[in-house]
Amino acid sequence: IYSGIGHFEQMFLTNTGDYYANESQESMKTSTVWEYMVHVENRLNEEMDRVSSYLDSSSSKALINTVERNMIKVHVNTLLEKSFDHLMDEDRKSDLKRMYGLFHRVGSLESMRNSFSVYVKRKGNMVVQDEERDKDMVKTLLELKQRLDGLVRDALSSNEDFDRALRDAFEDFINCRENRPAELIAKYIDSQLRSGNKGGSEVEVETLLDRVMVLFRFINGKDVFEAFYKKDLAKRLLIGKSASYDLEKLMIAKLKSECGSQFTNK
């Protein structure tokens, strides 16, 4: 009916777009990003209610698209630049989930994924390149991976593209220092398999070894890892420092599963 009477619908959508363009500009200046995102959600809900109460249902999609374009789409880069790193650093899962939902509505998840990839690479490089903290590198990377896995799961809908970006970023930065991460991963495993370590029960140590194997998959220098691992294994067995022969056999089985029998038969 609106289209047939003076193109009412088009005029209505144009005025609505102008209104939200102006409002969003003001709100971006006066609100934090998380406050702004809540405001956008509220506006979208209000417009949906307005459609169901006062407007013809045929106007619904065009109206919501107008609001989304003026309140989300045009501000995607600014929202990411102003807040993404902070939200990630602070583990703000609810806000990241809200951002994910809004960006998904306007087809801008690729921009968010790119910011995510840059963030992970920067954080990982800081760990791997810090030679003064080499002794803590593997532990810190395990903690980082666990935290980011939780964010992908809880805030980013376990999106496969974000999960792939996370894996690619780890593979990128963990190999930025040739050989050293491979050596340190082998040494970390040695520390967990030695008697007297504080790794906890065998079940807890096995769980930790599974997490370490995730890092192992990312390294290019597996031959370097192999050299250090076999040297440390021989020492543990020769001087009786192995915490558990069952764990030793389990670790060898894991490596065989990852690399094939040629790895453990050498």
Side-chain angles (χ1 to χ4, degrees):
I1 183 172
Y2 300 138
S3 297
I5 304 178
H7 302 288
F8 175 83
E9 182 180 49
Q10 187 57 50
M11 292 173 59
F12 171 70
L13 293 174
T14 299
N15 290 335
T16 299
D18 291 342
Y19 175 82
Y20 281 118
N22 292 329
E23 181 184 271
S24 67
Q25 291 289 349
E26 289 302 314
S27 295
M28 287 286 288
K29 294 176 184 176
T30 59
S31 306
T32 64
V33 167
W34 34 98
E35 290 171 342
Y36 179 78
M37 291 191 296
V38 171
H39 176 66
V40 172
E41 284 188 333
N42 290 336
R43 282 305 202 194
L44 287 166
N45 290 332
E46 290 169 5
E47 291 299 340
M48 287 298 297
D49 291 341
R50 206 181 328 275
V51 167
S52 61
S53 300
Y54 304 111
L55 303 175
D56 189 89
S57 59
S58 64
S59 301
S60 174
K61 184 176 181 179
L63 175 61
I64 296 303
N65 285 346
T66 297
V67 179
E68 290 173 342
R69 182 173 61 256
N70 286 283
M71 298 204 78
I72 307 171
K73 186 73 172 179
V74 300
H75 298 297
V76 163
N77 291 335
T78 302
L79 291 170
L80 289 170
E81 290 168 4
K82 289 178 65 175
S83 71
F84 187 78
D85 285 4
H86 176 73
L87 295 178
M88 291 290 294
D89 284 340
E90 297 296 320
D91 211 35
R92 299 274 288 269
K93 291 181 179 179
S94 61
D95 291 315
L96 286 165
K97 185 175 183 178
R98 180 172 289 111
M99 178 179 282
Y100 178 92
L102 293 175
F103 283 20
H104 185 269
R105 296 180 73 124
V106 297
S108 293
L109 286 183
E110 183 176 357
S111 296
M112 189 177 184
R113 187 173 68 250
N114 289 339
S115 293
F116 177 75
S117 179
V118 170
Y119 174 88
V120 177
K121 288 178 181 178
R122 190 179 76 257
K123 288 293 181 180
N125 269 296
M126 289 171 61
V127 176
V128 174
Q129 298 286 9
D130 188 354
E131 297 182 15
E132 294 183 359
R133 299 186 63 188
D134 272 0
K135 64 183 179 65
D136 296 321
M137 181 194 293
V138 176
K139 179 175 180 292
T140 304
L141 290 179
L142 289 172
E143 292 170 350
L144 178 65
K145 183 64 164 59
Q146 187 172 44
R147 181 172 74 86
L148 294 172
D149 281 340
L151 282 171
V152 172
R153 181 187 64 244
D154 300 332
L156 306 174
S157 296
S158 297
N159 184 295
E160 290 183 4
D161 290 333
F162 280 84
D163 189 54
R164 188 180 305 109
L166 176 58
R167 296 196 305 270
D168 289 347
F170 261 75
E171 184 174 0
D172 180 84
F173 70 67
I174 207 169
N175 292 296
C176 66
R177 269 181 76 193
E178 187 176 7
N179 297 335
R180 187 58 170 158
E183 175 188 347
L184 292 173
I185 289 172
K187 293 296 183 184
Y188 186 84
I189 291 173
D190 176 59
S191 72
Q192 298 304 313
L193 294 177
R194 280 180 174 272
S195 58
N197 77 76
K198 299 179 181 179
S201 68
E202 285 196 9
V203 173
E204 291 172 328
V205 174
E206 181 182 354
T207 300
L208 181 59
L209 291 176
D210 283 335
R211 292 172 57 206
V212 176
M213 288 303 295
V214 174
L215 297 184
F216 170 77
R217 294 185 190 111
F218 295 133
I219 61 175
N220 293 332
K222 289 183 172 59
D223 54 338
V224 174
F225 169 90
E226 179 185 3
F228 282 98
Y229 174 79
K230 289 185 174 181
K231 180 180 178 182
D232 292 334
L233 171 63
K235 285 183 178 179
R236 290 194 301 274
L237 297 180
L238 285 172
I239 63 177
K241 284 293 186 178
S242 178
S244 165
Y245 288 110
D246 287 338
L247 282 176
E248 295 286 2
K249 289 187 288 185
L250 180 65
M251 187 64 212
I252 291 173
K254 291 180 186 297
L255 291 170
K256 185 176 181 179
S257 176
E258 287 293 328
C259 304
S261 58
Q262 72 278 4
F263 184 92
T264 52
N265 288 339
K266 290 179 183 178

